[in-house]
Amino acid sequence: MDPGLQQALNPLAPSQDTAMHVPAGSVTSHLGATGRGYFYFTTASLALCLVFAVATIMVLVVQKTDSIPNPPGKFHLKGGNCSEDISCILERAPFKKSWAYLQVSKHINKTKLSWNKDGITHGVRYQDGNLVIQFPGWYFIICQLQFLVKCPEHSVDLKLELLINRDVKKQTLVTVCESGVQTKNIYQNLSQFLLEHLQVNATISVKVDKFQYVDTNTFPLENVLSIFLYSSSD
């Protein structure tokens, strides 16, 4: 090749050192941003699925419930923020006989989770981490928990169990923190749903074997246990 032409092309070609040198910090920050983006996408997807499942059940309840005229003094809202108030939503829902919505306690010290006593309950009793049924029938049960794992040098199994009268009825298991892979923090969402026929004084509880990883700080409002009476046996 003509020496003059080769000299003119050389400045346009990146040097081997420039092409191969990538700061380690930029790779780490890029992987961290990718991990956070995946976590937020996963959380949003699970929340959407949860809303869709509850909406589907409510539609089924409405379809099976006879139309009842509004009693005196009761009328449909015209404006207001009922859509943002959970107690308002539950009070206006068709399943008025028995329901509960509890958030996990910030002080978790055992595998059986405890819940805030100031949660919303109606027609159901809360006692020592248990929801105690007062009316027989088919109940829809929802539990969602957020985990934050500071990865050790080995993998970690996260398991969520729904128990009826101390018997495991539904469980979810996921393994995080792959062995040999250096990862600082892992955010993980676990949820479980159950439709179960329950008798009076039946108990509902939740167990998590690695309870120390339940994240009560980042997303305190996302750790919930909720139930409602779908069909009464009375």
Side-chain angles (χ1 to χ4, degrees), residues 9-37:
L9 291 175
N10 281 340
L12 299 177
S15 66
Q16 183 176 1
D17 292 341
T18 303
M20 296 300 294
H21 178 67
V22 179
S26 65
V27 174
T28 303
S29 61
H30 175 70
L31 291 175
T34 302
R36 287 193 299 272

Side-chain angles (χ1 to χ4, degrees), residues 196-216:
E196 187 80 6
H197 188 273
L198 302 176
Q199 301 294 336
V200 176
N201 292 327
T203 61
I204 302 170
S205 59
V206 178
K207 280 190 176 181
V208 175
D209 54 347
K210 302 294 193 306
F211 62 87
Q212 67 271 25
Y213 294 127
V214 176
D215 183 11
T216 59

Side-chain angles (χ1 to χ4, degrees), residues 151-156 175-183:
C151 289
E153 296 181 354
H154 54 81
S155 60
V156 177
T175 300
V176 297
C177 302
E178 296 182 23
S179 180
V181 178
Q182 293 184 351
T183 307

Side-chain angles (χ1 to χ4, degrees), residues 141 160-172 192-198 203 205:
I141 306 165
L160 164 64
E161 296 178 329
L162 280 179
L163 291 86
I164 306 295
N165 297 328
R166 299 183 180 180
D167 296 326
V168 177
K169 291 293 184 178
K170 233 18 182 343
Q171 62 181 357
T172 300
Q192 194 55 265
F193 314 93
L194 178 63
L195 181 63
E196 187 80 6
H197 188 273
L198 302 176
T203 61
S205 59

